[in-house]
Amino acid sequence: MKKLSFLLLVAVLSLSTAVQAQTIFPAEFTAPAEFNTGTVHISVLSRSERQMTTNFLFEQGSRNSWHYHPNATQVLMVLDGEAYYQEEGKPKQLLRKGDVVTTAPNVRHWNGATPWSSAECMTVTEIVEGEEHAVQLRKVTDEEFASPVTSETMIVRIAEIEVYPEYLEEYLSYANEVDRLSVEREPGVICLFPMQSAEDSTQIRILEIYASDAAYQAHLKTAHFQKYKQGTLHMVKSLKLPTMHPLDPATMNLIFKKR
């Protein structure tokens, strides 16, 4: 029994250390599932008669519910990772480390981590005498959470690749596999679309669209991309990765809504 108790204590301490390793502030408690989706760690850093400062560590894919602060202004600061923020009636925003958002009193909104990154955020909220800190509304639906971010945050490029003819068939197998696995498994990979020139089959073009730079960096570290990268090094004669900028961002957003 003593051995079991010791092992349980070690497990709890290890979990606590793992959580704290992601934030400079101690994680005081986990937010209730009634008003949150996924795991959200909260620490109240300070509280006075006028304001409260709180640190949130949103684990990957987690978020709070729609809510508002009665007659109180809130300032949200992203300390690490990438976060979502949305106000009622407005498009969802992608926030990065260093971004600051001010929410006006009584504005319904929600925020949380992206599907591909955890997010650490600090909020400073006014305290209004006689008012609740926050009025909780309904949970954010999966459809709202998965709605496309604006194209301004996306990374778009067309990879220009020339393959040695003797490795062409093997290269195409690698390219098709990494395309399929990336789109299936990575929420931040919007599109990986390999194409082959009709005039010269060794000329490959891959349309790449990532939700953000963090999504792209996460993609580079995946096992399936590393398998593709290392497995095709000797097959590629030349490679160019020019980054592209959408000429019509508004229409680009509509493209992803059509299906």
Side-chain angles (χ1 to χ4, degrees), residues 71-144:
N71 301 321
T73 298
Q74 182 182 78
V75 177
L76 169 73
M77 297 162 278
V78 181
L79 305 183
D80 199 13
E82 291 195 333
Y84 282 151
Y85 172 85
Q86 185 175 19
E87 294 182 358
E88 188 175 45
K90 296 183 179 180
K92 184 174 64 180
Q93 298 181 47
L94 177 64
L95 305 180
R96 298 188 176 94
K97 181 178 180 179
D99 285 340
V100 178
V101 173
T102 300
T103 306
N106 306 310
V107 172
R108 300 183 177 203
H109 65 285
W110 68 271
N111 52 277
T114 65
W116 57 84
S117 170
S118 61
E120 184 174 1
C121 304
M122 182 183 293
T123 61
V124 179
T125 312
E126 292 177 340
I127 293 178
V128 179
E129 186 177 357
E131 297 283 12
E132 295 182 64
H133 168 69
V135 175
Q136 301 291 340
L137 305 169
R138 63 175 177 81
K139 284 192 174 184
V140 176
T141 66
D142 291 340
E143 290 75 19
E144 289 170 327

Side-chain angles (χ1 to χ4, degrees), residues 18-186:
V19 170
Q20 292 186 29
Q22 300 176 62
T23 170
I24 62 175
F25 305 108
E28 293 182 344
F29 61 92
T30 301
E34 181 182 1
F35 302 124
N36 296 269
T37 301
T39 304
V40 182
H41 305 279
I42 302 178
S43 301
V44 178
L45 304 181
S46 68
R47 184 184 179 99
S48 68
E49 292 181 355
R50 295 186 176 182
Q51 66 182 30
M52 181 167 69
T53 303
T54 309
N55 190 71
F56 294 86
L57 178 60
F58 293 93
E59 293 192 6
Q60 186 174 320
S62 66
R63 68 268 192 185
N64 53 32
S65 296
W66 285 98
H67 64 282
Y68 66 92
H69 304 283
N71 301 321
T73 298
Q74 182 182 78
V75 177
L76 169 73
M77 297 162 278
V78 181
L79 305 183
D80 199 13
E82 291 195 333
Y84 282 151
Y85 172 85
Q86 185 175 19
E87 294 182 358
E88 188 175 45
K90 296 183 179 180
K92 184 174 64 180
Q93 298 181 47
L94 177 64
L95 305 180
R96 298 188 176 94
K97 181 178 180 179
D99 285 340
V100 178
V101 173
T102 300
T103 306
N106 306 310
V107 172
R108 300 183 177 203
H109 65 285
W110 68 271
N111 52 277
T114 65
W116 57 84
S117 170
S118 61
E120 184 174 1
C121 304
M122 182 183 293
T123 61
V124 179
T125 312
E126 292 177 340
I127 293 178
V128 179
E129 186 177 357
E131 297 283 12
E132 295 182 64
H133 168 69
V135 175
Q136 301 291 340
L137 305 169
R138 63 175 177 81
K139 284 192 174 184
V140 176
T141 66
D142 291 340
E143 290 75 19
E144 289 170 327
F145 185 70
S147 64
V149 293
T150 60
S151 60
E152 287 81 1
T153 65
M154 294 181 183
I155 291 179
V156 183
R157 60 166 49 119
I158 299 178
E160 302 174 0
I161 302 168
E162 182 178 1
V163 180
Y164 289 110
E166 60 268 31
Y167 296 116
L168 181 59
E169 185 174 347
E170 188 178 1
Y171 174 84
L172 294 178
S173 177
Y174 272 98
N176 287 331
E177 180 184 54
V178 73
D179 164 55
R180 176 177 55 80
L181 294 178
S182 298
V183 174
E184 282 181 356
R185 299 179 180 180
E186 298 180 67

Side-chain angles (χ1 to χ4, degrees), residues 199-217:
E199 287 75 28
D200 182 352
S201 60
T202 65
Q203 298 294 323
I204 309 298
R205 300 294 182 265
I206 304 177
L207 173 61
E208 304 179 12
I209 305 178
Y210 306 94
S212 69
D213 180 66
Y216 172 63
Q217 296 301 326

Side-chain angles (χ1 to χ4, degrees), residues 240-256:
K240 295 180 181 179
L241 294 172
T243 298
M244 314 298 288
H245 296 290
L247 295 179
D248 186 357
T251 299
M252 184 174 174
N253 289 335
L254 293 175
I255 293 173
F256 297 105

